[in-house]
């Protein structure tokens, strides 16, 4: 999307078409479900994925870095 298109949407309060919203979501790397989610923090994820993310959020920055190293080493061993 061009910057002028985004500016028009924001400044003129136009209601975007679904195709426009899909482009916006693609730019942010999210789905339409995630875009419209209000109460559901992770709308497109399985229960297992949600559990992992909830645990991840409780970790410190140092702990996250350690986990990332472990996961990357597992991937590298494949």
């Amino acid at each position: 999307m061009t910057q002028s298109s985004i500016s028009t949407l924001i400044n003129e309060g136009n209601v975007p078409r679904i195709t426009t919203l899909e482009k916006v979501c693609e730019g942010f790397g999210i789905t339409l479900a995630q875009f419209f989610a209000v109460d559901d923090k992770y709308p497109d994820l399985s229960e297992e994925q949600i559990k992992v993310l909830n645990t991840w959020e409780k970790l410190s920055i140092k702990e996250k870095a350690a986990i990332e190293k472990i996961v990357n080493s597992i991937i590298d061993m494949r």
Side-chain angles (χ1 to χ4, degrees):
M1 288 187 68
T2 64
Q3 187 175 4
S4 62
S5 296
I6 294 171
S7 179
T8 300
L9 282 172
I10 293 170
N11 295 326
E12 294 181 15
N14 294 338
V15 177
R17 297 182 310 207
I18 291 295
T19 54
T20 303
L21 288 178
E22 287 172 334
K23 289 178 185 177
V24 170
C25 290
E26 186 178 319
F28 284 109
I30 61 172
T31 65
L32 280 171
Q34 291 167 324
F35 180 82
F36 285 109
V38 177
D39 294 330
D40 192 358
K41 200 171 185 179
Y42 307 112
D44 290 340
L45 302 180
S46 69
E47 288 298 318
E48 181 182 36
Q49 291 169 321
I50 292 170
K51 183 178 175 182
V52 169
L53 287 175
N54 285 333
T55 302
W56 177 262
E57 289 178 352
K58 296 174 186 173
L59 300 175
S60 69
I61 293 172
K62 215 175 191 182
E63 292 167 332
K64 288 177 182 178
I67 296 296
E68 191 172 353
K69 284 181 184 179
I70 292 168
V71 171
N72 285 331
S73 68
I74 293 169
I75 291 169
D76 291 342
M77 291 188 320
R78 289 184 186 173

